[in-house]
Amino acid sequence: MRRSHFLQASAGAMTALALPQLSQRALASDVVDYTLTAAPLRFSPAPGVNFGGLAFNGSIPGPLLRIVHGQRLRAKFVNSTGQGSTIHWHGMILPNRMDGAEGVTQAAVRSGGSFVYEFAPDPPGTRWYHDHVSDGLLRGLFGMIVVEDPRDQRADAEFALVFHDVPKLSTIAPAMMGVGRAPMDDPLGSPELTQMSMQSRMGDEVAFIAHCINGAAYPNTKRLAVKVGQHVRLRILNANPTQTRYVRLAGHRLIVTHSDGNQLPQPVEVDALRVGVAERYDAWFEVNAPGAWLLQGLSSDPLAYEQAAIVHTEGMENAPPLACPQSLEGVDYFTYQSAGGIVGALPPQTGAHYDFTLDDGKYGSSRWTINGKTYPSTPKIFVHRNDIVSVRFLNKTDMDHPMHLHGHVFEITGIDGVALVRPLSKDTSLIRANGGTLNWRFRADSPPGRWLLHCHNAIHMMDGMMTEVVYRP
Ligand code: C2O
Ligand code: CU
């Protein structure tokens, strides 16, 4: 029998975004130990920005955690924030008491206290972790965890990229009351912008004062050094609390292989990614010639240029990089339909079926509802082990909703009444505004307990758009 081997992994600041090959020592351990200490941080990623943030181990985002599928993770969480906090492991199937959902699977860890999260991270892929109590996520308590899949194709170079934005904290309460004045700043040509009627007043938007990749704003973002001939893998997370982010690399097409860490049925080639709140994409590109190019998060915010990083070949680090316009006009971006392929009418529902209508969020409203109710009065999904459950969402509101299910991987089986030929495995999915529908199917074979199902837009979640999947004995 193999002797247990423990590794105290170093969870440093996330400045080094390149992912080197894991050492033999790291690969040989059965348990990987991390300590995550959450505490206040003055965060100044751009001139004039002095944000009262909260950070894991002194950095926003928190450290990049890496583990090999099959190893156990033991993360000691030390809370020094001055408020209650938990860590939720987004996209993991794990024992319910390790899920970190405050008030559902555990009480908030009080400031000064600690809690040990221990589980074998599964499934493999690009996942993330974040606070699950009130405003911790908005203030900076989030980070990426990569669960390496030994069966994955090896990349010549690999980078972990957290796209995140610094909210203007004073705009959060008005957004929750539906009377905010922050504009929508989705890029020109985006469905978000196109589907808004001109007269409608939003009231639900949060304003942002800086746009970052891995804790810095352009031109101070860390550069990605690549070599001609390399196949490069990008692991991308949108940690913005409210906005979908379009991501593009100037001069390159991207080959998307994973969505939310789960392998796509087949790779999809696009100009840009469309990354809903909390979604992740793995995208590859080939370096065909020497040069310098910008990797960008697109939006129509005047500060959008800040969310960019230079990708360059040797000797080109100071060349002016090729850039893309902040627009989606004529840009072919990733959609669930392009990855799944559409076939025609959905087959009639069998098995346990739930219809969820997403509504409200009108100007001046502080409610975002599922079937007319706010959490905890929303209808719950009750399951028995191994039930196949299907859910159909109908979105009657004028915003997209990134709906997320804890502790499961579901399949998107249909969109807007049309079935997908190749269902997509995900943990978060955008549901189109103004009458869009989306169908999920999942098997209730996760550890028993209570699993949250909610909109990952922080405002909508806090305003009630949340329910639970509850396992019955
Ligand atoms: Cu990213 Cu309730 O989760
Ligand atoms: Cu929402």
Side-chain angles (χ1 to χ4, degrees), residues 88-91 99 101 128-132 137 278 404-406 428 452-456 461 466:
H88 167 56
W89 305 90
H90 184 122
D99 190 48
W128 66 304
Y129 61 96
H130 61 78
D131 170 84
H132 217 293
L137 171 58
H404 166 51
L405 174 58
H406 286 215
T428 310
L452 284 178
L453 188 177
H454 62 86
C455 178
H456 221 290
M461 179 184 170
M466 179 153 78

Side-chain angles (χ1 to χ4, degrees), residues 242 358 368 395 397 399-403 430-431 454-461 465:
T242 61
L358 310 177
W368 287 92
N395 181 1
T397 77
M399 290 175 85
D400 287 7
H401 297 289
M403 300 302 290
L430 281 167
I431 296 152
H454 62 86
C455 178
H456 221 290
N457 177 310
I459 302 299
H460 303 176
M461 179 184 170
M465 195 175 268

Side-chain angles (χ1 to χ4, degrees), residues 92-97 122 383 385 406-408 444-451 469-471:
M92 302 281 184
I93 298 170
L94 73 187
N96 195 239
R97 65 181 192 289
D122 181 60
V383 298
R385 169 144 299 274
H406 286 215
H408 295 74
D445 58 2
S446 290
R450 294 166 61 193
W451 301 102
V469 171
V470 182
Y471 279 65

Side-chain angles (χ1 to χ4, degrees), residues 68-69 122-124 148-154 233 258 263:
V68 180
H69 190 230
D122 181 60
E148 314 268 348
D149 188 343
R151 297 163 313 179
D152 269 0
Q153 188 193 331
R154 281 267 301 275
R233 179 183 197 157
H258 295 71
Q263 191 157 14

Side-chain angles (χ1 to χ4, degrees), residues 77 85-88 96-109 115 117:
F77 171 45
S85 181
T86 58
I87 301 181
H88 167 56
N96 195 239
R97 65 181 192 289
M98 295 293 146
D99 190 48
E102 184 250 345
V104 178
T105 67
Q106 73 175 114
V109 178
F115 185 89
Y117 293 94

